Amino acid sequence: MENVVEHSLAADGLAVGYDQREIIHDLSVRIPTGKITVIVGANACGKSTLLKTLARLLKPSRGTVLLDGKSIQQIPTREVATKLGLLPQSPTAPEGITVADLVGRGRYPRTRWIRQWSKSDDEAVAEAMTSTDVLSIADRPIDELSGGQRQRVWIAMALAQETDILLLDEPTTFLDLTHQFEVLDLLVDLNKSDDRTIVLVLHDLNQACRFGDHLIAMKDGDIVAEGNPSEVITEDVVQDVFGLAVKVVPDPVAGTPMVVPIGRHTSRTDRTDTAAAGSSSGNLAAAALAASAAANGVCRPTPE
């Protein structure tokens, strides 16, 4: 990989929406350089909207996204793509394309009509596939791969861009638990090896705490809390952001905050007691119906 120059990413006074509906309201944030930042929050709170705006996929109605201190809207698209990579939700690939071909597309921002494909491009693609453990399936069509393999290939394509900043929108969605941890472990490896700045959206709070250095909790288009996981994931914040009563305890493996929802049915004993109560109330209801029927002459004695 080429020598990585640290690039900064921030937002100042953002307002972003769709049609006439504003989703994000006067939001300002600075992404910590060289860290893994995880954005969390309830559905429709603006997480993906913020990520897309940081990636210049959405243009704010007010405010500015700053890449290296300069408005990202003023930076040429190709230059942005050499500094910032994005893996969107559920990306799609052309039918029949192979792993190597898809990963190679990550080099397009670095090619010009006066700079054709070179040995350095081959090396970058090979390194990206090696670091994501997909080199052995380089010749296989994407369509034949498992969900976890496909996600690693998409990450490899983003890595082939050789950007210092990598944004990922819900990269573990639709993956089983094993593949979720494979992807998240890979992101930690990439962060540790290259001090790469990684920003991702996750729904699982326990995974966010375990794998994130810096958390941003959002509600209704605003940032409610941000900082390290122990500062952000508290019982009060989870109640505020998600409307859910929880207990926060230490993760027995990582020592990070672990969220345990309380809910209405908190134990098997509670379920058994509820079932018993339901059975008892059901018996009372049946007795009441029988008495009412008898009183109204519905159940008459059989004539002899």
Side-chain angles (χ1 to χ4, degrees):
M1 179 175 178
E2 296 176 0
N3 293 330
V4 174
V5 177
E6 288 189 348
H7 297 288
S8 63
L9 184 64
D12 183 26
L14 285 187
V16 190
Y18 302 94
D19 298 324
Q20 301 301 314
R21 188 165 67 98
E22 190 172 275
I23 305 297
I24 291 177
H25 326 285
D26 298 317
L27 183 149
S28 297
V29 67
R30 181 170 298 278
I31 303 300
T33 301
K35 303 293 184 181
I36 296 178
T37 295
V38 184
I39 306 173
V40 299
N43 289 340
C45 72
K47 303 184 300 294
S48 294
T49 299
L50 174 58
L51 198 77
K52 291 175 183 176
T53 307
L54 292 174
R56 212 179 72 164
L57 293 185
L58 293 176
K59 185 176 181 179
S61 57
R62 297 189 307 277
T64 309
V65 173
L66 301 169
L67 181 59
D68 295 340
K70 183 178 179 180
S71 171
I72 199 170
Q73 299 294 333
Q74 298 175 4
I75 303 174
T77 300
R78 189 180 288 270
E79 183 180 344
V80 171
T82 63
K83 298 178 179 180
L84 185 153
L86 171 68
L87 180 59
Q89 286 187 45
S90 306
T92 57
E95 184 176 357
I97 191 171
T98 65
V99 169
D101 288 341
L102 184 61
V103 176
R105 295 193 176 198
R107 298 301 297 169
Y108 285 0
R110 297 188 177 275
T111 58
R112 304 283 197 282
W113 67 272
I114 58 173
R115 181 199 174 280
Q116 299 303 311
W117 192 272
S118 67
K119 182 181 178 181
S120 65
D121 295 308
D122 285 328
E123 291 173 348
V125 169
E127 183 174 346
M129 288 194 292
T130 299
S131 63
T132 53
D133 195 25
V134 296
L135 188 60
S136 62
I137 56 174
D139 295 330
R140 289 181 59 183
I142 297 294
D143 303 338
E144 296 179 1
L145 304 182
S146 69
Q149 288 175 320
R150 281 197 299 270
Q151 198 70 316
R152 292 203 306 273
V153 172
W154 284 109
I155 293 174
M157 187 189 75
L159 294 182
Q161 287 180 236
E162 295 190 314
T163 63
D164 184 45
I165 302 172
L166 181 59
L167 310 181
L168 305 99
D169 195 357
E170 299 184 25
T172 58
T173 300
F174 306 124
L175 299 182
D176 62 34
L177 191 60
T178 299
H179 289 131
Q180 289 177 28
F181 273 77
E182 283 182 1
V183 168
L184 294 171
D185 279 335
L186 170 61
L187 295 178
V188 173
D189 290 340
L190 296 172
N191 169 256
K192 287 183 175 180
S193 63
D194 299 321
D195 289 328
R196 194 182 305 265
T197 300
I198 296 175
V199 186
L200 65 156
V201 171
L202 286 180
H203 279 291
D204 191 307
L205 293 180
N206 294 331
Q207 290 180 356
C209 290
R210 181 177 289 196
F211 293 97
D213 301 307
H214 185 83
L215 267 56
I216 297 173
M218 294 187 64
K219 177 184 178 182
D220 298 332
D222 294 313
I223 294 177
V224 173
E226 66 172 310
N228 66 54
S230 62
E231 294 173 339
V232 174
I233 301 303
T234 66
E235 294 170 7
D236 289 341
V237 169
V238 175
Q239 176 71 61
D240 181 30
V241 172
F242 294 93
L244 179 67
V246 301
K247 290 293 183 183
V248 176
V249 299
D251 185 313
V253 174
T256 52
M258 185 172 74
V259 176
V260 182
I262 294 175
R264 292 188 299 109
H265 300 289
T266 57
S267 68
R268 300 302 304 185
T269 302
D270 175 68
R271 294 187 188 186
T272 303
D273 292 344
T274 302
S279 176
S280 175
S281 62
N283 292 336
L284 290 173
L289 286 173
S292 175
N296 286 279
V298 176
C299 299
R300 294 187 174 88
T302 304
E304 294 182 359

